[in-house]
Amino acid sequence: MVEALNHRRLEILRFLARCASKGETPPSVREVGNAVGLRSSKSAHAHLNTLESEGLVERPASTRGKTRPPRLTEKGWEAVLAIDVPLLGRIAAGRGLEAVAIRHEADSPASELLYSPSGKKRYFLRVVGQSMTGARIEDGDLLVVEEDESPPDGAVVAALLREGEEVTVKRLHREGDKVRLEPHNGDHEDIIVPAKQVQIQGRVTHVIHPPAR
């Protein structure tokens, strides 16, 4: 899919990713064209129409019937990230595997998702296991994790179980002096441990499914 994108359309995807990751308002067609060096809005419309037909961009109609500014679909994010996100490590959606961050180039399309408006550090982790399938986190998915030692209850987090030095992705629940890490798969049980035995390493902000799916 990514190989079929010409340079101009790839730049459009990267621009939309940059706007979204920085929390900016989706750009107008004219702004998209200006950002990638197109001389006319007509050319920008043509490229966006192609990207929309491929399911990479969406421009839903508003309640007044007007077309809204373009934004990336989940498939569009996958295309941006699939360009160069070399795998260095993995995180267990279960237990027993160590999590290691994924390398990325500072100027790569993947870096767009690593911008955090809060200034907190973000990194990528690859999922191994099936314990979070009910939350649409599948084996092989790519997670964007933002460092946060005190995320709210109910957040999906990367948690270090200090006793075994294991890292897992689960939904966080604080219950008195204990922490309950909830899976989203009926075949897996909650992990309940004393709070002092758990270090919350970060909160999952994005889940990206591999383009091959």
Side-chain angles (χ1 to χ4, degrees):
M1 174 181 64
V2 176
E3 292 77 2
L5 289 172
N6 67 25
H7 173 73
R8 196 72 73 186
R9 289 173 196 149
L10 176 56
E11 287 303 304
I12 290 174
L13 293 182
R14 293 186 69 177
F15 176 63
L16 294 177
R18 186 179 304 113
C19 292
S21 64
K22 293 183 178 181
E24 297 175 357
T25 302
S28 66
V29 173
R30 182 179 295 277
E31 289 171 331
V32 169
N34 290 340
V36 301
L38 293 173
R39 295 182 178 179
S40 70
S41 295
K42 183 177 180 180
S43 296
H45 268 295
H47 284 296
L48 286 168
N49 286 340
T50 298
L51 291 170
E52 190 170 17
S53 70
E54 294 173 351
L56 301 172
V57 167
E58 62 181 1
R59 291 182 289 175
S62 69
T63 54
R64 298 181 179 180
K66 295 183 178 180
T67 301
R68 290 175 174 169
R71 62 188 181 191
L72 292 181
T73 62
E74 184 176 62
K75 186 178 178 182
W77 277 115
E78 292 167 4
V80 172
L81 288 175
I83 296 165
D84 58 348
V85 186
L87 175 64
L88 287 186
R90 56 191 182 178
I91 184 169
R95 297 186 67 171
L97 293 173
E98 183 179 0
V100 185
I102 293 173
R103 183 178 68 249
H104 66 95
E105 300 299 329
D107 60 349
S108 72
S111 68
E112 308 295 355
L113 267 183
L114 295 184
Y115 174 83
S116 170
S118 67
K120 295 181 179 179
K121 182 180 177 181
R122 287 184 177 183
Y123 54 93
F124 293 101
L125 292 173
R126 184 79 73 184
V127 173
V128 177
Q130 300 287 351
S131 73
M132 294 294 287
T133 55
R136 298 192 70 244
I137 298 176
E138 306 280 350
D139 183 62
D141 282 352
L142 190 65
L143 305 180
V144 179
V145 179
E146 182 172 289
E147 290 188 346
D148 187 349
E149 295 182 356
S150 301
D153 276 13
V156 176
V157 301
L160 170 66
L161 303 177
R162 290 173 172 165
E163 188 172 288
E165 293 301 306
E166 301 172 357
V167 179
T168 187
V169 57
K170 295 287 185 291
R171 193 171 296 280
L172 172 67
H173 300 279
R174 298 179 180 87
E175 299 175 346
D177 61 352
K178 296 185 182 298
V179 166
R180 177 167 61 90
L181 299 173
E182 178 193 10
H184 280 258
N185 183 324
D187 294 331
H188 295 256
E189 297 182 353
D190 291 357
I191 300 173
I192 302 175
V193 293
K196 63 182 180 180
Q197 293 183 13
V198 179
Q199 178 183 348
I200 305 303
Q201 296 192 323
R203 176 178 58 87
V204 175
T205 63
H206 295 78
V207 180
I208 306 298
H209 306 300
R213 287 189 181 170

